[in-house]
Amino acid sequence: MTAKFDIRDLSVSFHGKPVIRHISLQVAANGILGIIGPASSGKTTFLRVLNRMNELEQGSSVTGQVLMDGNDIYRSEVDAVALRKSVGMVFALPVPLPMSIHDNVVYGPTLAGISDRGRLTELTEKSLKAAFLWEEVKDRLNTSGLRLSGGQQQRLCLARVLAMEPGVILLDEPCSGLDPISTAKIEDALTELKRQYTIVLVTNNTKQAARISDETAFFLMGELIEMGPTNQMFTAPRQKRTNDYITGRFG
Amino acid sequence: MDQRHFDLQLSHLKERLLLMAARAEALINTAIEAVRTKDAAMAEHIFALDREIDRMEIDIENEAIALMALHQPMGGDLRFLVGAIKINNDLERIGDHGVNIAQSALKLAGEPDITPLVDIPQMSELALAMLRDSLESFIAGDYEKAREVCRRDDQVDSLKRHVLVKLSMIMGEKPETIGRGIELILVSRNLERIADLATNISEETIYIVQAKVIKHRFEDSQ
C-alpha cells in the first residue's frame, strides 16, 4: 500500500476544546477511505484538516503531523490555497453557483488563470463525464446549474472539484439528501474515480461506507476506535463499540 | 436501552430454531425407538414429523431472508442471521437422517435381532446430547461449550467404526444376516452424520460469537 496521507498523533481543538484526540492513521492512495461515527465524533473536522480548511475557523489548533506524499502540509511555507486545489472537497449540500453548467465546471480553472477555450471545453467534458453527469447535460451546458435536480447538482459540484484536477477528493456526507438512484450514481462515479484519485468519504450512512469504501475508520468522541478493511469492519469488527455502532445499538 | 424491534425479530427467529431443534430431536428418538422395538407404525409416524420440520425450515428461511433484506444487518447481527440460516439447514438434514433411520426400521420390522442393540442406542444418546448442547451453546452464545461439542464428535465416529467391525464379523459368519446387518450399519452411519451436523451447528455458533471459522480445521492453518 502506498500511503497518500500519513497522519501521526493528530489532535485538533477549537478554543481549547479537544475535537480530535491523538489520531494516527494512513490513507491509502487510489482507494476510498470511509469514515463513520456518530455526531460530534470529529469526522468532519478530520476531513477539513486534510486540506487545512479547519484553519478558516477561528480558535482552531492542530498538533501532530499530517504528511501528504511524505510532506507535512502544516509547515509554514506550504500555501494553503494551492493545497486546497490539489485536495478538493464536496460538501453535504450541493451549492451550484448561479451560472451555467459549463461555467460552474470551469469556475475554478478560470480563476486559476486558464483562459484557453479549447482547454476549458475539454476540462468541462472530461469532468462531467468523470462525475457521471455528461450524458444528462451535454445538450444543455448553457442552462443554469440551479435548474438541475439535487442529485445532478451534487454531481455538478463533484465535476467542479474534478476540473481542478486534484489528487485527493474529500467528501462530507455527499449523498445525505439524495434519493437511492442519485446516490448510486455518485457511488458509481466514486468507484471509478478512485483509480486516479485518493478519496476520503465521511458518511453517516454506514451502509454507504460498506458499499464503496476499501477501508473504513470508526471515530467516536474524537478518537479513532478501529480502522480496517471494509469487509472485515462490517462482518467481524474487533471492537465491541464498532459492532454496537454498525448494528445500530450505539447510544 | 429499549429492545429494538429488530432484536425482537431476532429473538423470535431464535425461538423458532429452538422449537425446530426440539422436533428434530424427538424425531430421531422416535426413529431409534422404532428400530429398537421393530415398530412399523412408529416408523411411519416419522414421515409426518419430517414433513413438519421441512415446513418449519422454509418458514425460518423466509423469515431470515426477509430480515436480511429489510434490515441489511452488519457485524454480529449479520453473522447471527447467516449462522441461523445454516443451522436451519442442518436441522432439516437431521430430520432427513431420521427418515433414513425410519426406513431401515421398516425393513427390520418383524425380523429377529442379529445381535442385542447396544452401540446404536448409545450412539443415538451421544449424538442427541451433542445436538442439545450445540443448540444451547447457540442460544447462550457460549463458544466454549460449542468447542466442547466439536470435540465429542470423535466418540461417535469411533462407535460407528466399532458397529461396522462387529456387524461385518457377524455377517461373515452368518450370511443370512447380511440384509439386516446392512440396515443397522446404515442406521449407525445416519447417527454419525447427525453428530456431524451437531458439530456444524457448534462451528456456526463459534462463527457467530467469535467471528472465527473453525470448520475444515481452517483455524489450525491460520
Side-chain angles (χ1 to χ4, degrees):
Chain A
M1 174 187 109
T2 314
K4 183 72 182 178
F5 284 103
D6 187 358
I7 288 111
R8 300 176 181 173
D9 196 26
L10 174 74
S11 292
V12 182
S13 58
F14 287 105
H15 301 291
K17 188 180 165 229
V19 181
I20 285 182
R21 302 159 200 260
H22 305 291
I23 284 183
S24 295
L25 61 83
Q26 292 191 330
V27 183
N30 301 112
I32 301 178
L33 168 65
I35 299 179
I36 58 171
S40 308
S41 56
K43 309 185 295 286
T44 296
T45 301
F46 178 80
L47 206 59
R48 293 164 68 92
V49 162
L50 298 182
N51 69 355
R52 288 176 55 175
M53 273 182 62
N54 60 306
E55 291 180 347
L56 302 176
E57 284 183 51
Q58 283 199 337
S60 155
S61 140
V62 175
T63 62
Q65 282 186 307
V66 180
L67 307 182
M68 184 169 85
D69 299 321
N71 302 311
D72 190 342
I73 63 169
Y74 278 86
R75 274 180 304 132
S76 55
E77 64 267 31
V78 173
D79 175 4
V81 176
L83 173 72
R84 286 172 204 143
K85 281 182 193 163
S86 64
V87 184
M89 192 154 185
V90 176
F91 301 91
L93 276 180
V95 190
L97 302 167
M99 50 182 75
S100 74
I101 293 168
H102 171 272
D103 290 352
N104 258 282
V105 178
V106 299
Y107 184 76
T110 309
L111 275 187
I114 298 176
S115 55
D116 180 79
R117 279 193 159 275
R119 171 80 179 125
L120 291 174
T121 305
E122 179 199 329
L123 267 178
T124 304
E125 180 171 341
K126 188 178 146 202
S127 308
L128 287 169
K129 278 183 173 167
F132 278 38
L133 185 58
W134 176 251
E135 289 303 321
E136 293 164 51
V137 300
K138 64 182 178 189
D139 301 323
R140 47 176 175 143
L141 293 175
N142 292 320
T143 311
S144 166
L146 295 170
R147 294 186 61 181
L148 296 173
S149 73
Q152 288 172 328
Q153 287 188 5
Q154 190 60 304
R155 279 177 283 148
L156 178 62
C157 293
L158 178 59
R160 203 167 61 199
V161 168
L162 295 175
M164 294 302 289
E165 302 186 306
V168 180
I169 310 168
L170 309 175
L171 301 109
D172 190 1
E173 284 288 339
C175 303
S176 57
L178 303 186
D179 66 274
I181 303 289
S182 301
T183 299
K185 283 181 178 164
I186 300 257
E187 291 178 358
D188 284 343
L190 295 180
T191 306
E192 285 295 317
L193 287 169
K194 76 177 181 185
R195 294 167 199 264
Q196 295 174 54
Y197 303 87
T198 299
I199 297 172
V200 184
L201 167 72
V202 160
T203 178
N204 277 324
N205 180 349
T206 51
K207 289 174 171 98
Q208 178 169 61
R211 283 193 295 269
I212 62 167
S213 63
D214 299 294
E215 288 197 288
T216 301
F218 172 50
F219 281 27
L220 181 63
M221 311 270 284
E223 288 177 37
L224 172 65
I225 303 300
E226 184 172 356
M227 175 170 160
T230 296
N231 187 355
Q232 174 248 313
M233 287 285 285
F234 287 100
T235 56
R238 288 186 298 270
Q239 302 291 328
K240 183 177 182 302
R241 282 179 292 181
T242 312
N243 192 61
D244 286 349
Y245 182 68
I246 62 172
T247 59
R249 289 186 175 80
F250 185 82
Chain B
M1 183 179 145
D2 291 338
Q3 199 175 21
R4 302 173 311 164
H5 181 58
F6 182 53
D7 286 333
L8 291 173
Q9 289 173 303
L10 292 181
S11 299
H12 182 243
L13 192 70
K14 244 183 193 181
E15 284 165 18
R16 309 249 324 231
L17 275 171
L18 207 55
L19 184 64
M20 184 176 171
R23 296 284 157 85
E25 187 188 340
L27 185 150
I28 303 302
N29 265 326
T30 311
I32 293 297
E33 193 58 13
V35 171
R36 208 177 58 76
T37 59
K38 304 194 174 55
D39 185 335
M42 199 184 264
E44 294 284 358
H45 178 54
I46 305 288
F47 303 122
L49 291 178
D50 184 54
R51 277 194 295 277
E52 192 190 344
I53 289 179
D54 288 349
R55 266 197 303 277
M56 292 174 100
E57 188 217 2
I58 290 169
D59 288 348
I60 289 172
E61 187 172 291
N62 285 339
E63 197 173 317
I65 289 171
L67 286 175
M68 284 192 154
L70 301 177
H71 295 272
Q72 298 169 29
M74 291 174 168
D77 292 341
L78 175 68
R79 296 200 305 275
F80 172 80
L81 279 173
V82 170
I85 286 173
K86 289 182 167 187
I87 289 171
N88 184 39
N89 186 30
D90 291 338
L91 291 172
E92 188 274 331
R93 286 177 60 199
I94 286 176
D96 290 347
H97 286 295
V99 166
N100 293 345
I101 294 172
Q103 278 164 346
S104 291
L106 280 176
K107 289 179 187 156
L108 292 166
E111 301 272 349
D113 279 340
I114 60 174
T115 177
L117 280 187
V118 178
D119 297 325
I120 285 180
Q122 197 190 341
M123 276 184 83
S124 169
E125 264 175 41
L126 283 173
L128 290 179
M130 283 173 69
L131 176 62
R132 273 193 302 277
D133 290 346
S134 67
L135 259 294
E136 273 175 25
S137 68
F138 163 67
I139 297 300
D142 183 345
Y143 60 88
E144 282 175 1
K145 187 172 194 164
R147 279 180 185 268
E148 189 262 327
V149 171
C150 296
R151 287 192 288 270
R152 275 147 62 186
D153 191 37
D154 289 346
Q155 295 173 35
V156 181
D157 289 350
S158 108
L159 269 174
K160 190 200 81 170
R161 281 193 296 275
H162 186 241
V163 167
L164 181 65
V165 170
K166 199 160 119 187
L167 288 171
S168 301
M169 278 171 61
I170 297 173
M171 289 188 291
E173 287 163 11
K174 300 180 192 165
E176 70 276 15
T177 64
I178 286 177
R180 284 168 284 162
I182 286 175
E183 292 306 329
L184 290 174
I185 288 170
L186 287 175
V187 170
S188 74
R189 163 79 185 145
N190 280 296
L191 287 171
E192 185 255 335
R193 289 297 300 138
I194 290 166
D196 288 347
L197 290 165
T199 305
N200 284 4
I201 292 172
S202 299
E203 289 168 348
E204 279 134 23
T205 296
I206 290 162
Y207 171 70
I208 292 168
V209 180
Q210 293 189 295
K212 282 186 184 163
V213 176
I214 68 157
K215 62 185 174 183
H216 314 314
R217 304 196 184 280
F218 190 75
E219 197 179 34
D220 300 341
S221 63
Q222 291 293 289

